[in-house]
Amino acid sequence: MREVFQAELKQVGEELVEIAKLVDKALSEARQAFLDADLETAQEVIAGDARIDFMQNELDERSIDILALQAPVASDLRMIVGALRMSSSLERMGDLARHLAQDARRRYPEPVLPPQLVDTFTQMFDLDLEIIEGVIQVLETRDMGVADSIYAKKAKVNELHQSVFTALTNEDWDSPVSTAVDVTLSARYLERIGDHGVSVTRKVAYLVTGEWTPSASVEHPTGHGHVGSDA
Amino acid sequence: MREVFQAELKQVGEELVEIAKLVDKALSEARQAFLDADLETAQEVIAGDARIDFMQNELDERSIDILALQAPVASDLRMIVGALRMSSSLERMGDLARHLAQDARRRYPEPVLPPQLVDTFTQMFDLDLEIIEGVIQVLETRDMGVADSIYAKKAKVNELHQSVFTALTNEDWDSPVSTAVDVTLSARYLERIGDHGVSVTRKVAYLVTGEWTPSASVEHPTGHGHVGSDA
């Protein structure tokens, strides 16, 4: 029985990694769709999100079955409850990647961004991709060595997010309000993706070390009211 | 032992109601802070959010203890797992109310909204308040008679959210881009609050009836890419 249980726990961990890899792929494709006004890739991201949702649901059902049949305690129980929460964060990251692809599709054949913001958004996408790749590594290895780098990347995402608001409210902003609306929401989606990545990392760290990393460490110290760790 | 367990389950349910009532209060105060540029009330909402976070944490720890000590199965197990998820949605609604209060504080003494959007936002706040009050009723009574009304109110929130984008991109929009940014995000917060309320309602309905209400029933059928049920 104990061996079966350990195999089940292992499978939950593997499925979390699998979902995280799908999110990585979705975000990578959303980056291309969004930055290159690539409609076909946008459609793929939008259609592909259902698979992430399905896998989350499967993982959750499996986790509940394990709770019912194995009645785990202590660290095993926390691992299963942690998996339920992490799958929720990962699923949400997939939704946000889908939103970015939907922005690209709605604006097609125009790009979403005015030229002066392409570099900022490219950096945000790249940092979020590095964060999710760090999350995959953390989930696979339980080696928390990469955690500080994930938190540092999220701090950089916050700075870039803040700089988008500065650009939007700058006197030389000359794009239509509809562009400002899309830029505002897209920047927020990218900030939220990074935040969920941090949230998953903190949950794994808690499972591994038993110590809770205060969220304050990754929050932007000042700035716009809309930035923050509030997954 | 069984009696103790039932008392524990009951307490979890009561704590969910208590958190939902705090969210109702926070949103009601955020409404006042936001619509009346009331700094003092904004500060109260912002400071009060820590209590919601604390109560969510307490509820989650208690739920994990119940899982460990009682090893519930079947509907009792689903109720506890459901409580973990519902507390997460309620906590997030509190965060979003805090964001709205932070908007009011950042803009003070100016109001966040241009005059032509006050009525739309007032309606969105009122619908969200009715949704959370419906959620409290559902949590207290398990009577799902109010569920359809909650879903209908969310559909109305979606319509109003959509109309905000129409107003923003209308030719006669004459406010600065910074106002458009705040309006865009605030409208999204109000949409998200309603969506989390629907999410909690659906989870209770699932626990009560065993039937899952597809989220499609509350999504806006067309409209802006940013609207949707994706908690």
Side-chain angles (χ1 to χ4, degrees):
Chain A
M1 197 65 170
R2 185 74 197 163
E3 271 174 37
V4 172
F5 177 43
Q6 286 307 322
E8 283 173 344
L9 278 186
K10 187 156 172 281
Q11 187 172 357
V12 165
E14 285 167 359
E15 285 181 17
L16 273 179
V17 169
E18 203 179 330
I19 297 174
K21 285 181 177 172
L22 286 177
V23 171
D24 185 31
K25 178 168 174 284
L27 184 59
S28 172
E29 290 175 353
R31 177 190 186 282
Q32 181 180 329
F34 189 94
L35 295 175
D36 301 346
D38 175 346
L39 181 62
E40 198 178 328
T41 304
Q43 302 279 32
E44 279 172 29
V45 175
I46 295 162
D49 190 45
R51 174 146 179 78
I52 295 175
D53 295 351
F54 176 80
M55 286 193 59
Q56 186 214 0
N57 201 43
E58 290 280 289
L59 177 66
D60 286 1
E61 287 302 315
R62 184 187 312 279
S63 300
I64 291 171
D65 285 348
I66 293 175
L67 290 174
L69 298 172
Q70 306 284 359
V73 295
S75 63
D76 292 340
L77 172 59
R78 290 201 175 257
M79 191 269 173
I80 294 292
V81 172
L84 284 167
R85 289 171 169 160
M86 288 186 249
S87 78
S88 170
S89 278
L90 291 169
E91 187 271 331
R92 189 77 191 111
M93 292 169 93
D95 284 342
L96 293 161
R98 171 169 55 79
H99 286 344
L100 290 159
Q102 284 169 323
D103 285 343
R105 180 172 71 177
R106 190 162 28 77
R107 281 301 185 119
Y108 181 83
E110 297 298 316
V112 181
L113 298 174
Q116 74 268 30
L117 282 174
V118 169
D119 181 54
T120 304
F121 273 75
T122 302
Q123 287 185 62
M124 289 179 85
F125 269 109
D126 288 345
L127 286 161
D128 275 352
L129 283 166
E130 289 168 23
I131 287 171
I132 180 70
E133 282 147 24
V135 164
I136 292 169
Q137 194 178 329
V138 161
L139 287 170
E140 278 183 329
T141 65
R142 300 284 161 124
D143 176 353
M144 299 312 297
V146 76
D148 283 341
S149 146
I150 291 173
Y151 304 146
K153 286 179 207 295
K154 178 54 177 40
K156 182 73 183 150
V157 170
N158 286 354
E159 279 172 34
L160 291 163
H161 185 214
Q162 192 61 39
S163 79
V164 171
F165 291 116
T166 307
L168 281 167
T169 53
N170 200 310
E171 274 179 18
D172 64 6
W173 174 265
D174 56 2
S175 300
V177 176
S178 61
T179 301
V181 169
D182 283 342
V183 164
T184 298
L185 288 171
S186 307
R188 179 159 173 91
Y189 300 151
L190 287 165
E191 187 274 326
R192 302 302 306 144
I193 288 172
D195 202 59
H196 282 292
V198 163
S199 172
V200 174
T201 305
R202 288 171 56 217
K203 286 184 177 71
V204 178
Y206 177 64
L207 292 173
V208 170
T209 67
E211 280 173 28
W212 191 247
T213 313
S215 65
S217 65
V218 295
E219 278 192 53
H220 199 254
T222 58
H224 200 271
H226 303 292
V227 179
S229 172
D230 51 8
Chain B
M1 196 64 169
R2 184 74 196 163
E3 271 174 38
V4 172
F5 178 43
Q6 288 306 322
E8 283 173 344
L9 278 186
K10 188 156 171 281
Q11 187 170 359
V12 166
E14 284 166 0
E15 286 181 15
L16 273 178
V17 169
E18 203 178 331
I19 297 174
K21 285 182 177 173
L22 286 177
V23 171
D24 185 31
K25 178 168 175 283
L27 185 58
S28 171
E29 291 176 352
R31 176 190 186 284
Q32 181 180 330
F34 190 94
L35 294 175
D36 301 345
D38 175 345
L39 181 62
E40 198 177 329
T41 304
Q43 301 280 32
E44 278 172 29
V45 175
I46 295 162
D49 189 46
R51 172 142 181 84
I52 295 175
D53 296 350
F54 176 81
M55 286 193 59
Q56 185 214 1
N57 201 43
E58 290 280 289
L59 177 66
D60 287 2
E61 287 302 315
R62 183 186 313 278
S63 299
I64 291 171
D65 284 348
I66 294 174
L67 289 174
L69 298 172
Q70 306 284 0
V73 295
S75 64
D76 291 340
L77 172 59
R78 289 199 178 261
M79 191 269 173
I80 294 293
V81 172
L84 284 167
R85 288 171 169 160
M86 288 186 251
S87 77
S88 170
S89 278
L90 291 170
E91 186 271 332
R92 189 76 191 111
M93 292 168 93
D95 284 342
L96 292 161
R98 172 170 54 81
H99 286 345
L100 290 159
Q102 284 169 323
D103 286 343
R105 181 173 69 178
R106 190 161 28 76
R107 280 301 186 119
Y108 182 83
E110 296 298 316
V112 181
L113 298 174
Q116 74 267 31
L117 283 174
V118 169
D119 181 55
T120 304
F121 272 75
T122 302
Q123 287 185 62
M124 289 179 83
F125 269 109
D126 288 344
L127 286 162
D128 275 352
L129 283 166
E130 289 168 23
I131 288 172
I132 180 70
E133 282 148 25
V135 165
I136 292 169
Q137 195 178 330
V138 161
L139 286 170
E140 278 183 329
T141 64
R142 299 286 160 123
D143 175 353
M144 299 312 297
V146 75
D148 283 342
S149 146
I150 291 174
Y151 304 147
K153 286 179 206 295
K154 178 55 178 36
K156 182 72 184 151
V157 170
N158 286 354
E159 278 172 35
L160 291 163
H161 185 212
Q162 192 62 38
S163 79
V164 171
F165 290 117
T166 308
L168 281 167
T169 54
N170 200 309
E171 274 179 17
D172 64 5
W173 174 264
D174 57 1
S175 301
V177 176
S178 61
T179 301
V181 168
D182 283 341
V183 164
T184 298
L185 288 171
S186 307
R188 179 160 172 88
Y189 300 150
L190 288 166
E191 187 274 327
R192 302 301 306 144
I193 288 171
D195 203 60
H196 282 290
V198 163
S199 172
V200 173
T201 306
R202 288 171 58 217
K203 285 184 178 73
V204 178
Y206 177 65
L207 292 173
V208 170
T209 67
E211 281 173 29
W212 191 246
T213 312
S215 64
S217 66
V218 294
E219 277 192 55
H220 199 252
T222 57
H224 200 270
H226 303 290
V227 180
S229 172
D230 50 10

PDB file of all heavy atoms in Angstrom, chain A residues 56-74:
ATOM      1  N   GLN A  56      -5.656  20.099 -15.443  1.00  0.00           N
ATOM      2  CA  GLN A  56      -5.824  20.559 -14.063  1.00  0.00           C
ATOM      3  C   GLN A  56      -6.959  19.795 -13.381  1.00  0.00           C
ATOM      4  O   GLN A  56      -6.835  19.354 -12.242  1.00  0.00           O
ATOM      5  CB  GLN A  56      -6.137  22.066 -14.016  1.00  0.00           C
ATOM      6  CG  GLN A  56      -6.169  22.582 -12.578  1.00  0.00           C
ATOM      7  CD  GLN A  56      -7.181  23.681 -12.335  1.00  0.00           C
ATOM      8  OE1 GLN A  56      -7.892  24.098 -13.238  1.00  0.00           O
ATOM      9  NE2 GLN A  56      -7.238  24.162 -11.109  1.00  0.00           N
ATOM     10  N   ASN A  57      -8.045  19.640 -14.112  1.00  0.00           N
ATOM     11  CA  ASN A  57      -9.197  18.942 -13.551  1.00  0.00           C
ATOM     12  C   ASN A  57      -8.861  17.480 -13.218  1.00  0.00           C
ATOM     13  O   ASN A  57      -9.216  16.974 -12.144  1.00  0.00           O
ATOM     14  CB  ASN A  57     -10.347  19.012 -14.565  1.00  0.00           C
ATOM     15  CG  ASN A  57     -11.685  18.784 -13.911  1.00  0.00           C
ATOM     16  OD1 ASN A  57     -11.945  19.315 -12.832  1.00  0.00           O
ATOM     17  ND2 ASN A  57     -12.513  17.959 -14.523  1.00  0.00           N
ATOM     18  N   GLU A  58      -8.142  16.828 -14.115  1.00  0.00           N
ATOM     19  CA  GLU A  58      -7.697  15.449 -13.884  1.00  0.00           C
ATOM     20  C   GLU A  58      -6.818  15.355 -12.634  1.00  0.00           C
ATOM     21  O   GLU A  58      -6.972  14.469 -11.799  1.00  0.00           O
ATOM     22  CB  GLU A  58      -6.849  14.964 -15.082  1.00  0.00           C
ATOM     23  CG  GLU A  58      -7.625  14.743 -16.347  1.00  0.00           C
ATOM     24  CD  GLU A  58      -8.342  13.402 -16.318  1.00  0.00           C
ATOM     25  OE1 GLU A  58      -7.670  12.367 -16.411  1.00  0.00           O
ATOM     26  OE2 GLU A  58      -9.579  13.428 -16.180  1.00  0.00           O
ATOM     27  N   LEU A  59      -5.875  16.290 -12.557  1.00  0.00           N
ATOM     28  CA  LEU A  59      -4.948  16.292 -11.418  1.00  0.00           C
ATOM     29  C   LEU A  59      -5.716  16.509 -10.113  1.00  0.00           C
ATOM     30  O   LEU A  59      -5.453  15.846  -9.097  1.00  0.00           O
ATOM     31  CB  LEU A  59      -3.896  17.393 -11.603  1.00  0.00           C
ATOM     32  CG  LEU A  59      -2.902  17.562 -10.456  1.00  0.00           C
ATOM     33  CD1 LEU A  59      -2.017  16.333 -10.339  1.00  0.00           C
ATOM     34  CD2 LEU A  59      -2.035  18.797 -10.678  1.00  0.00           C
ATOM     35  N   ASP A  60      -6.676  17.422 -10.147  1.00  0.00           N
ATOM     36  CA  ASP A  60      -7.443  17.705  -8.940  1.00  0.00           C
ATOM     37  C   ASP A  60      -8.264  16.486  -8.526  1.00  0.00           C
ATOM     38  O   ASP A  60      -8.338  16.152  -7.338  1.00  0.00           O
ATOM     39  CB  ASP A  60      -8.361  18.919  -9.168  1.00  0.00           C
ATOM     40  CG  ASP A  60      -7.572  20.220  -9.179  1.00  0.00           C
ATOM     41  OD1 ASP A  60      -6.337  20.161  -9.027  1.00  0.00           O
ATOM     42  OD2 ASP A  60      -8.180  21.282  -9.347  1.00  0.00           O
ATOM     43  N   GLU A  61      -8.878  15.831  -9.506  1.00  0.00           N
ATOM     44  CA  GLU A  61      -9.671  14.648  -9.184  1.00  0.00           C
ATOM     45  C   GLU A  61      -8.780  13.545  -8.611  1.00  0.00           C
ATOM     46  O   GLU A  61      -9.139  12.865  -7.657  1.00  0.00           O
ATOM     47  CB  GLU A  61     -10.424  14.153 -10.431  1.00  0.00           C
ATOM     48  CG  GLU A  61     -11.591  15.050 -10.831  1.00  0.00           C
ATOM     49  CD  GLU A  61     -12.626  15.199  -9.707  1.00  0.00           C
ATOM     50  OE1 GLU A  61     -12.990  14.198  -9.083  1.00  0.00           O
ATOM     51  OE2 GLU A  61     -13.057  16.344  -9.439  1.00  0.00           O
ATOM     52  N   ARG A  62      -7.608  13.379  -9.203  1.00  0.00           N
ATOM     53  CA  ARG A  62      -6.672  12.373  -8.705  1.00  0.00           C
ATOM     54  C   ARG A  62      -6.238  12.702  -7.277  1.00  0.00           C
ATOM     55  O   ARG A  62      -6.142  11.822  -6.417  1.00  0.00           O
ATOM     56  CB  ARG A  62      -5.445  12.295  -9.619  1.00  0.00           C
ATOM     57  CG  ARG A  62      -4.448  11.203  -9.228  1.00  0.00           C
ATOM     58  CD  ARG A  62      -3.167  11.283 -10.052  1.00  0.00           C
ATOM     59  NE  ARG A  62      -3.445  11.421 -11.468  1.00  0.00           N
ATOM     60  CZ  ARG A  62      -3.764  10.411 -12.269  1.00  0.00           C
ATOM     61  NH1 ARG A  62      -3.805   9.191 -11.795  1.00  0.00           N
ATOM     62  NH2 ARG A  62      -4.005  10.627 -13.542  1.00  0.00           N
ATOM     63  N   SER A  63      -5.998  13.996  -7.031  1.00  0.00           N
ATOM     64  CA  SER A  63      -5.564  14.410  -5.691  1.00  0.00           C
ATOM     65  C   SER A  63      -6.654  14.121  -4.657  1.00  0.00           C
ATOM     66  O   SER A  63      -6.367  13.672  -3.541  1.00  0.00           O
ATOM     67  CB  SER A  63      -5.225  15.901  -5.688  1.00  0.00           C
ATOM     68  OG  SER A  63      -4.181  16.159  -6.600  1.00  0.00           O
ATOM     69  N   ILE A  64      -7.894  14.383  -5.044  1.00  0.00           N
ATOM     70  CA  ILE A  64      -9.007  14.132  -4.118  1.00  0.00           C
ATOM     71  C   ILE A  64      -9.150  12.627  -3.870  1.00  0.00           C
ATOM     72  O   ILE A  64      -9.395  12.195  -2.738  1.00  0.00           O
ATOM     73  CB  ILE A  64     -10.309  14.770  -4.661  1.00  0.00           C
ATOM     74  CG1 ILE A  64     -10.185  16.298  -4.589  1.00  0.00           C
ATOM     75  CG2 ILE A  64     -11.522  14.302  -3.861  1.00  0.00           C
ATOM     76  CD1 ILE A  64     -11.293  17.052  -5.288  1.00  0.00           C
ATOM     77  N   ASP A  65      -8.964  11.835  -4.926  1.00  0.00           N
ATOM     78  CA  ASP A  65      -8.991  10.374  -4.745  1.00  0.00           C
ATOM     79  C   ASP A  65      -7.903   9.918  -3.767  1.00  0.00           C
ATOM     80  O   ASP A  65      -8.130   9.042  -2.936  1.00  0.00           O
ATOM     81  CB  ASP A  65      -8.789   9.668  -6.092  1.00  0.00           C
ATOM     82  CG  ASP A  65     -10.045   9.726  -6.956  1.00  0.00           C
ATOM     83  OD1 ASP A  65     -11.107  10.103  -6.419  1.00  0.00           O
ATOM     84  OD2 ASP A  65      -9.950   9.410  -8.156  1.00  0.00           O
ATOM     85  N   ILE A  66      -6.730  10.498  -3.898  1.00  0.00           N
ATOM     86  CA  ILE A  66      -5.630  10.121  -2.993  1.00  0.00           C
ATOM     87  C   ILE A  66      -5.997  10.490  -1.557  1.00  0.00           C
ATOM     88  O   ILE A  66      -5.787   9.701  -0.619  1.00  0.00           O
ATOM     89  CB  ILE A  66      -4.309  10.796  -3.418  1.00  0.00           C
ATOM     90  CG1 ILE A  66      -3.842  10.238  -4.777  1.00  0.00           C
ATOM     91  CG2 ILE A  66      -3.225  10.594  -2.357  1.00  0.00           C
ATOM     92  CD1 ILE A  66      -2.622  10.933  -5.339  1.00  0.00           C
ATOM     93  N   LEU A  67      -6.572  11.671  -1.388  1.00  0.00           N
ATOM     94  CA  LEU A  67      -7.000  12.079  -0.043  1.00  0.00           C
ATOM     95  C   LEU A  67      -8.017  11.079   0.512  1.00  0.00           C
ATOM     96  O   LEU A  67      -7.954  10.688   1.682  1.00  0.00           O
ATOM     97  CB  LEU A  67      -7.617  13.478  -0.068  1.00  0.00           C
ATOM     98  CG  LEU A  67      -6.669  14.660  -0.319  1.00  0.00           C
ATOM     99  CD1 LEU A  67      -7.469  15.951  -0.466  1.00  0.00           C
ATOM    100  CD2 LEU A  67      -5.647  14.805   0.801  1.00  0.00           C
ATOM    101  N   ALA A  68      -8.948  10.644  -0.334  1.00  0.00           N
ATOM    102  CA  ALA A  68     -10.015   9.747   0.119  1.00  0.00           C
ATOM    103  C   ALA A  68      -9.477   8.351   0.415  1.00  0.00           C
ATOM    104  O   ALA A  68      -9.837   7.742   1.428  1.00  0.00           O
ATOM    105  CB  ALA A  68     -11.117   9.672  -0.938  1.00  0.00           C
ATOM    106  N   LEU A  69      -8.614   7.829  -0.461  1.00  0.00           N
ATOM    107  CA  LEU A  69      -8.211   6.424  -0.361  1.00  0.00           C
ATOM    108  C   LEU A  69      -7.008   6.226   0.543  1.00  0.00           C
ATOM    109  O   LEU A  69      -6.858   5.186   1.177  1.00  0.00           O
ATOM    110  CB  LEU A  69      -7.918   5.864  -1.759  1.00  0.00           C
ATOM    111  CG  LEU A  69      -9.139   5.869  -2.695  1.00  0.00           C
ATOM    112  CD1 LEU A  69      -8.725   5.482  -4.114  1.00  0.00           C
ATOM    113  CD2 LEU A  69     -10.211   4.918  -2.174  1.00  0.00           C
ATOM    114  N   GLN A  70      -6.120   7.235   0.600  1.00  0.00           N
ATOM    115  CA  GLN A  70      -4.869   7.050   1.345  1.00  0.00           C
ATOM    116  C   GLN A  70      -4.854   7.811   2.669  1.00  0.00           C
ATOM    117  O   GLN A  70      -3.996   7.542   3.510  1.00  0.00           O
ATOM    118  CB  GLN A  70      -3.678   7.504   0.495  1.00  0.00           C
ATOM    119  CG  GLN A  70      -3.619   6.846  -0.878  1.00  0.00           C
ATOM    120  CD  GLN A  70      -3.120   5.408  -0.821  1.00  0.00           C
ATOM    121  OE1 GLN A  70      -2.806   4.905   0.253  1.00  0.00           O
ATOM    122  NE2 GLN A  70      -3.056   4.757  -1.963  1.00  0.00           N
ATOM    123  N   ALA A  71      -5.745   8.805   2.785  1.00  0.00           N
ATOM    124  CA  ALA A  71      -5.781   9.615   4.004  1.00  0.00           C
ATOM    125  C   ALA A  71      -4.379  10.015   4.468  1.00  0.00           C
ATOM    126  O   ALA A  71      -3.973   9.712   5.583  1.00  0.00           O
ATOM    127  CB  ALA A  71      -6.511   8.881   5.126  1.00  0.00           C
ATOM    128  N   PRO A  72      -3.635  10.678   3.591  1.00  0.00           N
ATOM    129  CA  PRO A  72      -2.267  11.053   3.961  1.00  0.00           C
ATOM    130  C   PRO A  72      -2.244  12.039   5.125  1.00  0.00           C
ATOM    131  O   PRO A  72      -3.219  12.763   5.352  1.00  0.00           O
ATOM    132  CB  PRO A  72      -1.720  11.715   2.690  1.00  0.00           C
ATOM    133  CG  PRO A  72      -2.938  12.229   1.982  1.00  0.00           C
ATOM    134  CD  PRO A  72      -4.025  11.232   2.285  1.00  0.00           C
ATOM    135  N   VAL A  73      -1.150  12.049   5.858  1.00  0.00           N
ATOM    136  CA  VAL A  73      -0.966  13.030   6.937  1.00  0.00           C
ATOM    137  C   VAL A  73       0.366  13.740   6.736  1.00  0.00           C
ATOM    138  O   VAL A  73       1.131  13.417   5.842  1.00  0.00           O
ATOM    139  CB  VAL A  73      -0.985  12.353   8.332  1.00  0.00           C
ATOM    140  CG1 VAL A  73      -2.356  11.752   8.609  1.00  0.00           C
ATOM    141  CG2 VAL A  73       0.101  11.310   8.445  1.00  0.00           C
ATOM    142  N   ALA A  74       0.591  14.727   7.597  1.00  0.00           N
ATOM    143  CA  ALA A  74       1.874  15.442   7.659  1.00  0.00           C
ATOM    144  C   ALA A  74       2.317  15.913   6.275  1.00  0.00           C
ATOM    145  O   ALA A  74       1.512  16.477   5.540  1.00  0.00           O
ATOM    146  CB  ALA A  74       2.918  14.568   8.336  1.00  0.00           C
TER     147      ALA A  74
END
